[in-house]
Amino acid sequence: MTNPLTPSRPPVLLHGAAARRALRHAIALLLLASIVPVANAAVSLGYLYGVTWPPRTGHYIGVMRVCVAIVLFFWLPWVVIGRTTLDRVTPRRRLAQRGAAVACGSAALFAADPSVAFTPLAMIIFWGTFAWLTLEVCRSHGIVLEHPRGETDPRHRRAHTWALSQSAFNYCAAGPFVAFLGMQVLRVLDVDVLPVMGDQLAVLGIKGDLGLTLGAVTSTVVLEDIVIVAAVAALMTAARRPVWQIYTTICVVEVLVHAYFGLPALAMAIFAAGRLQIFLYYGRVVPLMIAHATFDLIGTLLKPVPLPYRIAAACVLAIALPMIEKRSTGAADAEEQADPNPAAHPDEPPARDRANSVSSPANDS
């Protein structure tokens, strides 16, 4: 089997007005996706410093979410209408896609209503619609976020996805682990001006309920993997922004989203930079989503366990996954060597016949 870790095809690069438009869309998606999570993180960080927020602070954040939903309601149908002209799609598909865009925008607007609780279903509807908008915006620039290998062998594709998911999981564990070490150092030093958060899941409001957990996982995967890492990186690359600027932008936003950690939130730059490196080099976003969702679900299932043991469990998985991946890849290699498939290349003779044709003197004469 060939090495599953192979780079993706070259990224889309734009020029002039198209590049500036891509950059504007990257900034707009980043602001829309992160403004409410950053506001929530700022409120939690303020509590660490003893800030007394106004009683209606939560309501104001809900209004911000409604403003985002209003933009979403207009932007998504606008992009879909521009893509579904009669010279591109059939009238039936045009009606179905435009109707679905309006329906999803309306559902997201209703889900963001601050007068009702932001339930798990509302979270899934809101962030699912945001994911669709993100994909449509990228598509309008000729960008496809997921670049799987062009191999026909499903074993190769599975090995590629598995290997990248394992690498992304390691970064998902590394960031919180370094943040945890920073928390312990600050607690030992007992520096009053550098408070630290006690429990990430409690701050996020994840209390072990399955529905709430699924909603929270959907939110974080769409926000951090599809929007912040994949879409923003792809659009900024298309706009020909330097690599250092892409890394700086995404790492800073990730740190701000996790500001409820306190000062140890700086360690989340490792979490962001590692996943961003995987996306930029391999052009894959699905492995990032798989790894991030798995890490969050494990953290939720282990919520009754004290935080140090949750971190230790994540580290054990980060060590065990490469061993499992190596064993499964070795088994696939052995199977491929034991049972070659000559039908895969009908125009090419088997390796034994090729060797005989090269080494036999009779063929030369």
Side-chain angles (χ1 to χ4, degrees), residues 153 155 331-344:
D153 191 342
R155 291 178 298 180
D333 288 339
E335 181 183 352
E336 185 174 348
Q337 293 174 3
D339 185 20
N341 183 16

Side-chain angles (χ1 to χ4, degrees), residues 27-45:
I27 296 173
L29 287 174
L30 190 60
L31 288 176
L32 287 173
S34 62
I35 185 171
V36 173
V38 169
N40 283 323
V43 171
S44 299
L45 183 63

Side-chain angles (χ1 to χ4, degrees), residues 183 197-208 212-213 216-217 220 260-261 295-307 310:
M183 292 179 191
M197 179 202 67
D199 189 344
Q200 178 189 15
L201 296 178
V203 172
L204 293 177
I206 300 177
K207 302 176 182 179
L212 189 58
T213 298
V217 169
T220 56
Y260 48 79
F261 276 118
F295 182 80
D296 285 352
L297 287 174
I298 291 174
T300 304
L301 294 175
L302 297 177
K303 187 181 186 302
V305 180
L307 180 60
R310 293 205 301 266

Side-chain angles (χ1 to χ4, degrees), residues 123-326:
M123 296 169 68
I124 293 174
I125 291 174
F126 181 86
W127 287 106
T129 305
F130 206 109
W132 186 11
L133 170 65
T134 303
L135 296 177
E136 288 289 350
V137 170
C138 292
R139 186 176 181 176
S140 68
H141 295 279
I143 297 172
V144 178
L145 295 182
E146 178 71 4
H147 290 282
R149 297 181 65 187
E151 298 170 338
T152 57
D153 191 342
R155 291 178 298 180
H156 291 192
R157 291 198 299 269
R158 287 195 298 268
H160 191 219
T161 301
W162 174 270
L164 291 181
S165 299
Q166 175 258 311
S167 299
F169 186 90
N170 291 343
Y171 286 113
C172 290
F177 177 70
V178 176
F180 169 74
L181 293 181
M183 292 179 191
Q184 304 313 307
V185 171
L186 292 179
R187 288 195 175 106
V188 171
L189 296 177
D190 194 18
V191 181
D192 293 335
V193 297
L194 298 175
V196 295
M197 179 202 67
D199 189 344
Q200 178 189 15
L201 296 178
V203 172
L204 293 177
I206 300 177
K207 302 176 182 179
D209 178 75
L210 178 61
L212 189 58
T213 298
L214 293 178
V217 169
T218 302
S219 303
T220 56
V221 167
V222 173
L223 168 66
E224 299 185 47
D225 297 313
I226 297 180
V227 180
I228 295 180
V229 172
V232 172
L235 289 170
M236 292 184 70
T237 300
R240 297 178 175 271
R241 308 313 302 170
V243 175
W244 70 265
Q245 194 174 106
I246 299 174
Y247 272 90
T248 302
T249 301
I250 292 175
C251 289
V252 167
V253 173
E254 283 279 20
V255 169
L256 292 177
V257 168
H258 295 88
Y260 48 79
F261 276 118
L263 184 64
L266 295 174
M268 299 307 291
I270 301 173
F271 166 72
R275 290 157 50 250
L276 176 58
Q277 187 271 338
I278 292 174
F279 176 77
L280 289 178
Y281 191 73
Y282 300 109
R284 300 290 307 277
V285 66
V286 169
L288 304 185
M289 299 167 63
I290 294 173
H292 197 175
T294 302
F295 182 80
D296 285 352
L297 287 174
I298 291 174
T300 304
L301 294 175
L302 297 177
K303 187 181 186 302
V305 180
L307 180 60
Y309 296 101
R310 293 205 301 266
I311 299 294
C315 293
V316 170
L317 283 174
I319 296 173
L321 286 175
M323 300 173 62
I324 299 174
E325 188 270 337
K326 184 177 180 181

